């Protein structure tokens, strides 16, 4: 995208400054002065309430991203796409997920984007990513509380790599749905022994989320599974407190 086409990023009186900022972004690297990017910061902030303005900024940022800028510039672009991005930037961000240098900023941006496309891209990436990048993508699905990914994450619980399986357990706990609760309970009962502490912690997180969202019976079932004597002391203690919370929640329901 030419500098002239980026002038719409800001009001007319500041359009030249915006062109200069995009040029600075293309050359941005570790140690570069940050001041030249301030107009882009301002443009993103001012565009947030305006879908049309967000789309123009997104297109300009993607044009720079396609020119394969420095990792520092990629990190900056991804941080701004997290704010103004849409489905239009998902494929470009997904293409970076396998890049050890740029994977984290791209994943962080996808994590923040609205809509199903970002979640779908993260799920599809799981079969292609190496260990560290795969674990990161799994954690991002948890952060998105993406209920549609529970099936894929449940399968990953069987992964022989403890880090990957533990990341899947954590993501299921963060999602906190009845379906993820079922997967975690089954893994606690039948999964690898080395994974049990991670699954137990994930179940506590899942139960807390279920209770907070009004799914008391599902939360109680998880806490009861974790209150047994074969669990670690901190898990039993947390489960006991959770059961007290379930009882308190029930007492607050009229007619119970």
């Amino acid at each position: 995208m030419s500098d002239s086409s980026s002038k719409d990023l800001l009001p007319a009186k500041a359009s030249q400054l915006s062109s200069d900022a995009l040029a600075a972004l293309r050359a941005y690297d570790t140690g570069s002065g940050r001041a030249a990017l301030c107009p882009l910061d301002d443009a993103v902030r001012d565009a947030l309430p305006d879908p049309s303005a967000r789309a123009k900024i997104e297109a300009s940022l993607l044009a720079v991203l396609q020119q394969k800028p420095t990792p520092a510039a990629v990190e900056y672009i991804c941080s701004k796409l997290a704010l103004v991005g849409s489905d239009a930037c998902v494929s470009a961000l997904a293409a970076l997920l396998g890049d050890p240098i740029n994977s984290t900023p791209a994943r962080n941006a996808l994590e923040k984007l609205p809509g199903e496309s970002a979640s779908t891209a993260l799920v599809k990436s799981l079969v292609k990513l190496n260990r560290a990048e795969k674990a990161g993508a799994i954690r991002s699905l948890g952060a998105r509380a993406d209920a549609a990914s529970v099936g894929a994450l449940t399968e990953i619980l069987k992964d022989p790599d403890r880090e990957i399986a533990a990341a899947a357990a954590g993501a299921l706990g963060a999602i906190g749905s009845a379906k993820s609760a079922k997967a975690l309970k089954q893994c606690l009962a039948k999964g690898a022994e080395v994974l049990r502490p991670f699954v137990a912690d994930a179940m506590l997180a899942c139960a807390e989320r279920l209770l907070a969202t009004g799914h008391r019976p599902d939360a109680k079932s998880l806490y009861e599974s974790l209150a047994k004597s074969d669990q670690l002391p901190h898990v039993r203690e947390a489960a006991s407190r959770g059961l007290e919370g379930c009882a308190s929640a029930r007492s607050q329901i009229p007619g119970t």
Side-chain angles (χ1 to χ4, degrees):
M1 179 174 294
S2 67
D3 286 350
S4 61
S5 67
S6 66
K7 292 183 179 182
D8 288 339
L9 277 172
L10 292 173
K13 63 181 181 180
S15 61
Q16 185 58 47
L17 187 59
S18 177
S19 294
D20 291 343
L22 286 172
L25 177 57
R26 285 192 288 272
Y28 188 66
D29 202 350
T30 303
S32 297
R34 187 66 168 68
L37 302 183
C38 288
L40 285 177
D41 294 336
D42 295 340
V44 169
R45 181 197 63 220
D46 295 342
L48 292 179
D50 184 346
S52 177
R54 291 200 306 271
K56 290 177 181 178
I57 293 178
E58 179 183 28
S60 292
L61 293 173
L62 285 174
V64 178
L65 187 63
Q66 289 167 2
Q67 295 171 15
K68 301 187 183 304
T70 66
V74 171
E75 183 174 5
Y76 177 89
I77 291 168
C78 289
S79 72
K80 298 309 174 185
L81 288 175
L83 298 173
V84 301
S86 68
D87 287 356
C89 70
V90 168
S91 61
L93 293 171
L96 297 175
L97 290 175
D99 181 342
I101 297 175
N102 295 316
S103 177
T104 297
R107 176 172 59 78
N108 288 342
L110 286 168
E111 191 175 296
K112 303 295 192 300
L113 293 183
E116 297 179 3
S117 295
S119 293
T120 300
L122 286 165
V123 171
K124 287 183 176 179
S125 75
L126 297 179
V127 298
K128 301 178 289 185
L129 297 179
N130 292 327
R131 186 180 191 231
E133 290 77 28
K134 184 175 183 178
I138 290 169
R139 287 191 290 269
S140 286
L141 287 168
R144 287 179 65 82
D146 181 52
S149 67
V150 169
L153 293 171
T154 300
E155 286 301 309
I156 296 173
L157 285 175
K158 305 171 187 175
D159 197 295
D161 187 318
R162 186 182 69 171
E163 180 182 350
I164 297 300
L172 288 167
I175 291 169
S177 68
K179 188 175 178 181
S180 62
K182 180 180 179 181
L184 289 168
K185 283 185 68 175
Q186 290 177 342
C187 186
L188 186 71
K190 301 179 181 179
E193 183 70 24
V194 70
L195 195 60
R196 283 171 60 86
F198 301 99
V199 175
D201 287 342
M203 288 173 66
L204 288 172
C206 186
E208 183 176 354
R209 185 175 179 88
L210 285 166
L211 185 58
T213 54
H215 297 82
R216 189 189 66 83
D218 291 319
K220 182 181 178 183
S221 177
L222 286 181
Y223 285 132
E224 288 174 341
S225 296
L226 295 172
K228 297 176 180 178
S229 60
D230 61 341
Q231 295 299 319
L232 294 172
H234 81 276
V235 173
R236 296 199 306 270
E237 182 179 350
S240 295
R241 290 198 302 268
L243 287 171
E244 292 172 2
C246 289
S248 175
R250 179 176 176 84
S251 69
Q252 295 173 18
I253 301 174
T256 62

